[in-house]
Amino acid sequence: MATRFGILGTIEVRRDGAPIDVGHAMQRRVLAVLLVDADRAVSADALVDRVWGDTEPAHDRRKLYGYLSRLRHALAADGTAITRERGGGYRLAVEPSAVDAHRFRELSDRARKAGGDVQAEALWREALELWRGSAFAGADTPWFNAQRHLLDGERLAAELELVDVRLRLGQHDGLVSELTARAEAHRLDERVIGQLILTLYRCERQAEALEAYERARRRLADELGVDPGAALRQLYERILTGEPQLAAPRSATTNLAATANPTGTMQPAATTKSPGKSGTVANVGPPMARQLVPRLLPADVSLFVGREDEVEEARRLLGEERPGPATLLVTGPAGVGKTAFAIRTGHLLASRFPDGQLHADLRGFGDEPAEPFTVLGTFLRALGIPGGTVPAELTGRVHLYRTLLAGRQTLVVLDNAASAQQVSDLLPSGARCATIITSRTTMAELCGRRLSLDVLHPATGLDLLREMLGRGRTDADSGAARSIVETCGGLPLAVWVAGARLAARPHWPLAKVAHALADEQRKLDELAVGHIAVRASLELTYQQMSAATQHALRMVALLPGPSFAAWALAALLDTALSEAEAVLDDLVEVHLMQAGSVNATGIRYQLHDLVRLFARERTESDVPERDRTAALTRLLGASLHLADLAADTLSVDFQGISQLDLASWRLAAADADQLLADPLAWFNDERQFLIDVAEQALDGTEGVAPAAGLATALTTLFQVGSHFDDWERLQNRALKAALSNGDRHSAAKVHRCLGELTTILDRYPEAVDHFEQALLLAEGEGPTYRASATAGLAYVHRLLGQYSTAVLRFEEAAELAEAAGNVNCLVYATNGLGVIDLELGRVEAAIARFTKCLRVSRVAGYRPGEAQALRCLGQSHRALGAYPAAADAYRRAVAMSEDLGDRLSATHATCWLGDVLIRQGEHREGRRLLARSLWIYREFGNLWGEAATLYALAEAQLAVGRPAPARRRAKAAVMLWRQIGSSRWLAIGLDTLAEAHALAGDHTAAARARDEAEGARKA
């Protein structure tokens, strides 16, 4: 029996073509969640969250288990099973190809790789015929909505690809109606518009094609304040000049792989430099992201000899014609030079991959291998996906990554991989992409071409030594030079370490090292050849170092992460910063340490993974455990001390609880001041290292309070930099550790910080729970622990329109803050009361509160409070119709927030500045600022800000008498405010929607919107 599962429409199951009953709507949702992750385990928590959203089922998990039991029974007839996996997850044992969504993606991949347009057309049509309506029809939870949005994007992409194929096949006559409807539905999508214009032109409707371009130009200018992209402008100019290449193709069997834009279909525009970014930006791209061209390859290696044959072979293998993406696995023993080879080859091939090069060190053989989830997050951001819209689950990240690369020509370099499993989700599916993987293992299960690197030929090893020491010195003692290369077994890393020692000591004869290496070879003849040479070289170098430098190398092995700054070693060694820098210079001199990038706050240092392994072995054998523990305690203390000072200097947060009493070790004040001269730059340099230190401490058995303190101290720095993923992941770990250890103080602080995060992310029920838990844990404590949590809880009640509760909480928070001496929190609470006054029409009272906040913030040096007060004064002036005064306040708020590096707060002011400029008649500039705000809010995933901007854009369209775009914007804003649960702003948005309906002549819809607005106000 053939069973097929459908989620691209209603959720259904068919056996031999006949529908089978799989239960009511909620039970079908459970099935749909399992189908999305077909043949993969889904945890019970994830099932509940995805199926019920914010409202968990009554009676705990019994409903879920009942649905699973009934589904098992319904599907059992053909052997389809739902199994309970280890760890508590559930897996639907079904081939993904039996699920229409997975089948759609499979067919889409095959269509992109098709050898010709006729085959591609058939595959695209087959893929799109699987759609029966809106995906997961009737399912309305945040997770289902996000999945539906993702699938809708893939469906649109497939439709556009099919149109391109049909245009190449000369089928333009049948496309006009379809493209006209699609262009109306996607009025700002330049690719859709270009396809319509080209189709009209080929149907000998040139006047209509030019008119369609003019409509699009006006719409882009009116709604976004921008001109058409370069690709659309070029198509317009080619139509005006009657370029022959735009004519319909004569042949209906054009081979896609053999033609390059022969028909004039829309292609990515010529790229231009993006200000302030590393890469280039194409003018045509999906609305969620700019098409960045990433250049993530590390700098080309300067010391690279030999390997000419291997490099040429790699270029040949990656340049061959093929039906799909190329994969090259470079294997060989540790230290053979795989990383250098991959980087050199990548640079040589870069011109073949104009859409960029991605690179990741997977650290496959270290203590903390890189997770595909994390690497995909880095890659997606490098490809232009805003941080707030990167999918929160691995499957979503994989699908989005492959969708983005499907039509691009991109090189991916995955260095130091441990297994095929680690790289499988990172392989692109685009036919014009290529991947270079390096690994010490053969990865038998990986499909692709293989290239094995062997040790260097003696002559090449000698060339490497000459490059390091100079020809004269090497040739003067050629016998010893050859002995060094031979004793090292031709392993490049061993030759490099030996050469580095000799280069640092020009007075040493080569024979000294040659004889020593030969001795060590005999001592370690029980080890594998690759490891013998490396360990002998490292051991020899180690024994020649001073005791202090040896101890420093052992201590460095305790550090987490791939790179560090000198202050971290100072803490491990319990010494001054200058002493740590001096010993690092000694390690760099003998090439056991690499001086990496020089950032705003100093040099970052790195250990090769084999050197780290050697140092760690020495640490375990030579350093007592109590000394290791003490060193790591000092590292945690130094990290906590610097992070808390940086946060205090920036003065962004309002928690008001110093973490310094938890810091067991501190740098000297002068050293700390030097490092934190620019606290934001310091954090940007150290962010990942500080996270690694906190996580390392949380993994230990002691030190939960300072580890949680470090996680708490990073709140300000996470907030300013909008590192919301890091914020949530680290503090959830800290919260779990604190609760497990019965540390109520730490748990209260972390709950408060997570409440702030979930407020920013518009997850208000979670925010309320975090703040209430913080207050519950702080019962019996003084005002210091309760003030900020009370203020945060009040803020959420205000956002939800629960004004009476919010006022009581804000007043309580103000009293607690005053008693605790927490000026930031006092300003925050007073400002919150002012916002409520403003939203309830008490404008003069609001102005008085905001003016007080401005004055107190300036005296206290609380610049975020000052920026917030200016922004709220701007809102007050706007409410009074004093638009010039409002614009001035907003501009000052924008400047101050940008100076702090707080893009989100700057955008809050920019949005309303755009609104008042429109009200003053400066429509073009106002719409430009609103469009920019909309992109930034979407980048951060800030729903409230997105809704406010859409509302302002709707008002702007009403101001110039354009009801149709006003209705679209207002409907979108209403939908978001309804999702957020903000009743007051929902009512305001509905008022604007009613006005747009009325202006369009739809008085019935207008009345309905007004009635709903009235209901929202009463609620």
Side-chain angles (χ1 to χ4, degrees):
M1 293 182 288
T3 302
R4 293 289 180 264
F5 301 85
I7 55 180
L8 299 180
T10 55
I11 302 165
E12 66 173 27
V13 181
R14 289 181 176 270
R15 187 175 293 138
D16 293 333
I20 66 172
D21 184 10
V22 286
H24 54 67
M26 295 303 289
Q27 190 164 301
R28 287 172 184 265
R29 289 188 192 180
V30 173
L31 174 62
V33 170
L34 295 172
L35 290 171
V36 169
D37 285 298
D39 208 30
R40 297 174 68 168
V42 183
S43 70
D45 286 341
L47 280 165
V48 170
D49 180 65
R50 296 174 185 182
V51 172
W52 281 274
D54 295 333
T55 0
E56 282 210 17
H59 311 300
D60 199 30
R61 303 298 171 84
R62 282 178 288 174
K63 285 190 175 181
L64 171 65
Y65 302 146
Y67 294 158
L68 289 166
S69 175
R70 289 192 287 273
L71 284 171
R72 284 194 186 98
H73 180 74
L75 300 174
D78 63 348
T80 302
I82 298 175
T83 61
R84 180 74 179 270
E85 300 296 297
R86 294 175 66 182
Y90 294 87
R91 179 175 67 92
L92 179 61
V94 62
E95 286 294 325
S97 58
V99 184
D100 56 5
H102 298 297
R103 175 70 173 157
F104 167 74
R105 285 168 171 153
E106 176 196 345
L107 289 166
S108 297
D109 286 342
R110 288 172 55 193
R112 291 188 180 96
K113 301 172 187 175
D117 286 336
V118 174
Q119 180 189 8
E121 181 195 12
L123 289 167
W124 284 122
R125 288 187 184 278
E126 184 180 353
L128 289 166
E129 284 170 1
L130 293 169
W131 285 80
R132 297 169 286 106
S134 178
F136 313 109
D140 182 18
T141 69
W143 184 83
F144 276 115
N145 293 337
Q147 291 293 315
R148 184 181 298 113
H149 179 72
L150 178 65
L151 284 166
D152 285 344
E154 294 179 30
R155 181 184 189 180
L156 175 61
E159 291 170 341
L160 298 183
E161 293 286 352
L162 176 58
V163 169
D164 279 345
V165 170
R166 293 183 64 190
L167 284 169
R168 286 194 293 271
L169 292 173
Q171 299 176 8
H172 45 274
D173 287 336
L175 286 170
V176 174
S177 298
E178 173 188 338
L179 287 174
T180 300
R182 188 170 296 133
E184 185 60 30
H186 302 277
R187 296 157 62 89
L188 301 178
D189 190 316
E190 296 190 29
R191 186 178 178 191
V192 175
I193 295 164
Q195 289 178 338
L196 173 60
I197 291 171
L198 180 60
T199 300
L200 289 169
Y201 176 78
R202 289 188 176 169
C203 291
E204 299 183 351
R205 295 161 67 171
Q206 181 174 344
E208 292 178 59
L210 295 175
E211 183 183 347
Y213 174 87
E214 183 59 25
R215 280 199 308 272
R217 186 195 64 76
R218 289 197 303 268
R219 189 174 296 132
L220 289 165
D222 290 346
E223 298 196 21
L224 297 181
V226 298
D227 293 324
L232 195 57
R233 292 198 309 272
Q234 289 166 8
L235 177 61
Y236 173 68
E237 291 164 3
R238 294 169 74 187
I239 290 174
L240 288 176
T241 58
E243 186 173 311
Q245 283 186 314
L246 283 183
R250 296 179 181 178
S251 169
T253 59
T254 305
N255 188 322
L256 177 58
T259 56
N261 194 22
T263 64
T265 52
M266 290 293 288
Q267 299 292 327
T271 57
T272 55
K273 271 290 180 184
S274 171
K277 296 287 182 182
S278 175
T280 53
V281 178
N283 291 323
V284 179
M288 68 184 295
R290 299 164 296 175
Q291 185 171 316
L292 288 181
V293 179
R295 309 289 188 195
L296 301 190
L297 279 178
D300 199 359
V301 287
S302 58
L303 195 63
F304 188 90
V305 297
R307 306 290 192 205
E308 292 87 358
D309 292 343
E310 292 94 336
V311 169
E312 190 55 36
E313 177 68 357
R315 296 176 72 177
R316 185 188 67 79
L317 292 173
L318 293 173
E320 288 179 342
E321 290 293 330
R322 58 193 183 276
T327 301
L328 176 64
L329 173 63
V330 180
T331 62
V336 81
K338 299 181 293 297
T339 296
F341 178 86
I343 292 172
R344 168 57 60 91
T345 305
H347 280 284
L348 292 173
L349 292 170
S351 61
R352 295 190 192 176
F353 298 91
D355 294 324
Q357 301 87 45
L358 298 169
H359 174 274
D361 179 5
L362 300 183
R363 307 190 302 277
F365 299 92
D367 288 347
E368 299 176 359
E371 293 289 341
F373 178 89
T374 304
V375 176
L376 284 168
T378 301
F379 281 2
L380 289 172
R381 290 179 179 88
L383 290 165
I385 299 300
T389 58
V390 172
E393 297 175 30
L394 176 61
T395 301
R397 292 189 178 197
V398 173
H399 291 165
L400 181 54
Y401 170 68
R402 289 180 176 161
T403 299
L404 287 173
L405 293 189
R408 301 191 191 185
Q409 201 164 349
T410 302
L411 175 67
V412 181
V413 178
L414 304 174
D415 190 26
N416 201 11
S419 64
Q421 182 180 6
Q422 190 182 23
V423 301
S424 61
D425 288 332
L426 306 176
L427 298 177
S429 58
R432 298 187 297 163
C433 293
T435 305
I436 300 174
I437 303 168
T438 72
S439 180
R440 301 177 194 174
T441 65
T442 58
M443 293 192 195
E445 64 271 41
L446 182 74
C447 294
R449 308 300 294 268
R450 282 167 166 74
L451 184 64
S452 177
L453 296 185
D454 201 353
V455 296
L456 296 176
H457 185 275
T460 307
L462 202 56
D463 286 341
L464 175 57
L465 205 57
R466 285 194 185 101
E467 286 288 326
M468 301 182 74
L469 304 180
R471 178 174 292 274
R473 186 181 178 193
T474 307
D475 291 350
D477 199 353
S478 58
R482 283 193 296 271
S483 175
I484 290 171
V485 174
E486 291 168 4
T487 307
C488 288
L491 196 67
L493 179 61
V495 177
W496 174 81
V497 173
R501 291 188 64 252
L502 286 164
R505 293 164 176 80
H507 57 284
W508 274 16
L510 272 63
K512 178 180 177 68
V513 172
H515 293 153
L517 277 175
D519 289 341
E520 294 307 323
Q521 171 73 27
R522 290 191 295 272
K523 288 178 182 178
L524 299 173
D525 57 7
E526 295 294 323
L527 298 176
V529 173
H531 204 172
I532 290 173
V534 174
R535 284 189 74 189
S537 299
L538 294 174
E539 182 69 27
L540 181 60
T541 304
Y542 179 79
Q543 292 299 337
Q544 297 299 319
M545 296 190 308
S546 69
T549 310
Q550 289 178 344
H551 181 58
L553 183 64
R554 294 193 296 265
M555 289 294 98
V556 167
L558 297 173
L559 291 171
S563 69
F564 64 95
W567 66 264
L569 181 59
L572 291 174
L573 297 178
D574 193 13
T575 190
L577 181 60
S578 59
E579 293 294 327
E581 289 171 339
V583 77
L584 282 168
D585 285 342
D586 291 340
L587 287 167
V588 170
E589 185 179 354
V590 294
H591 293 268
L592 285 182
M593 185 75 65
Q594 291 177 314
S597 58
V598 180
N599 296 327
T601 55
I603 302 172
R604 298 201 71 76
Y605 298 88
Q606 292 177 309
L607 277 181
H608 188 282
D609 57 353
L610 292 176
V611 179
R612 182 185 294 274
L613 176 62
F614 170 82
R616 189 166 295 161
E617 291 175 352
R618 278 294 186 173
T619 304
E620 291 173 356
S621 63
D622 298 349
V623 181
E625 185 176 354
R626 66 177 181 278
D627 292 348
R628 282 179 262 159
T629 301
L632 289 174
T633 299
R634 290 193 297 272
L635 174 66
L636 178 59
S639 302
L640 176 54
H641 172 233
L642 290 172
D644 199 68
L645 283 180
D648 188 60
T649 303
L650 288 171
S651 189
V652 170
D653 197 20
F654 58 94
Q655 175 156 303
I657 302 176
S658 172
Q659 313 301 319
L660 290 180
D661 59 329
L662 297 172
S664 61
W665 192 91
R666 305 181 186 188
L667 280 172
D671 291 339
D673 290 344
Q674 175 189 335
L675 288 172
L676 300 179
D678 184 340
L680 194 56
W682 177 82
F683 172 67
N684 288 332
D685 290 347
E686 300 290 356
R687 174 174 60 88
Q688 189 56 56
F689 180 77
L690 293 170
I691 292 170
D692 290 341
V693 169
E695 291 185 330
Q696 184 181 57
L698 290 169
D699 287 335
T701 57
E702 300 178 0
V704 169
L710 176 56
T712 302
L714 294 177
T715 297
T716 288
L717 307 172
F718 286 146
Q719 183 174 346
V720 170
S722 305
H723 300 290
F724 301 139
D725 284 350
D726 291 338
W727 185 350
E728 185 162 26
R729 184 177 63 254
L730 178 61
Q731 292 193 357
N732 274 329
R733 283 201 63 189
L735 178 61
K736 182 177 180 181
L739 292 173
S740 297
N741 283 269
D743 185 348
R744 294 172 62 89
H745 283 178
S746 295
K749 290 186 291 187
V750 178
H751 264 305
R752 203 291 309 184
C753 296
L754 287 170
E756 183 70 9
L757 170 64
T758 46
T759 301
I760 292 171
L761 296 178
D762 304 312
R763 287 153 43 186
Y764 300 149
E766 288 180 61
V768 169
D769 182 62
H770 279 303
F771 287 131
E772 288 180 343
Q773 288 298 317
L775 290 172
L776 187 64
L777 290 166
E779 278 186 4
E781 299 291 341
T784 301
Y785 276 83
R786 292 158 44 218
S788 59
T790 304
L793 184 59
Y795 188 83
V796 180
H797 284 305
R798 197 273 297 173
L799 289 172
L800 293 171
Q802 299 163 356
Y803 290 133
S804 57
T805 303
V807 167
L808 291 174
R809 286 292 191 178
F810 273 134
E811 289 174 343
E812 180 186 357
E815 292 178 6
L816 290 167
E818 198 155 15
N822 186 344
V823 175
N824 292 12
C825 185
L826 176 61
V827 169
Y828 187 89
T830 305
N831 193 88
L833 289 167
V835 172
I836 293 174
D837 284 333
L838 180 61
E839 292 182 347
L840 293 179
R842 301 191 292 263
V843 182
E844 296 301 330
I847 290 175
R849 291 191 195 272
F850 298 146
T851 303
K852 177 183 177 182
C853 289
L854 185 62
R855 182 178 67 254
V856 173
S857 296
R858 284 175 175 166
V859 171
Y862 180 31
R863 299 185 69 206
E866 188 177 347
Q868 185 183 45
L870 286 168
R871 189 170 72 243
C872 291
L873 283 169
Q875 292 289 68
S876 304
H877 293 312
R878 173 182 174 273
L880 294 172
Y883 299 136
D888 178 66
Y890 288 138
R891 287 191 179 99
R892 290 158 64 197
V894 169
M896 188 165 293
S897 294
E898 287 180 343
D899 187 53
L900 288 167
D902 189 349
R903 290 179 64 213
L904 193 57
S905 293
T907 304
H908 293 331
T910 301
C911 169
W912 294 111
L913 175 59
D915 174 82
V916 298
L917 288 179
I918 289 169
R919 293 173 187 273
Q920 289 178 274
E922 298 180 43
H923 294 280
R924 187 177 183 83
E925 177 64 9
R927 285 198 299 271
R928 187 188 69 81
L929 292 178
L930 289 173
R932 189 175 76 181
S933 300
L934 188 61
W935 289 120
I936 294 174
Y937 280 132
R938 286 174 175 169
E939 176 184 342
F940 284 116
N942 187 285
L943 299 183
W944 202 101
E946 182 179 351
T949 310
L950 289 166
Y951 156 76
L953 284 167
E955 289 285 320
Q957 297 295 347
L958 285 176
V960 292
R962 294 174 178 158
R967 278 200 290 191
R968 284 198 306 277
R969 300 297 195 188
K971 282 180 180 178
V974 164
M975 180 185 71
L976 289 171
W977 274 322
R978 187 177 285 122
Q979 179 181 340
I980 291 168
S982 178
S983 56
R984 177 182 184 274
W985 282 97
L986 173 61
I988 291 173
L990 287 166
D991 287 339
T992 300
L993 180 59
E995 188 176 347
H997 282 313
L999 188 61
D1002 190 345
H1003 298 291
T1004 301
R1008 190 164 55 245
R1010 289 192 194 97
D1011 289 344
E1012 188 179 352
E1014 186 61 29
R1017 287 190 176 89
K1018 291 178 180 177

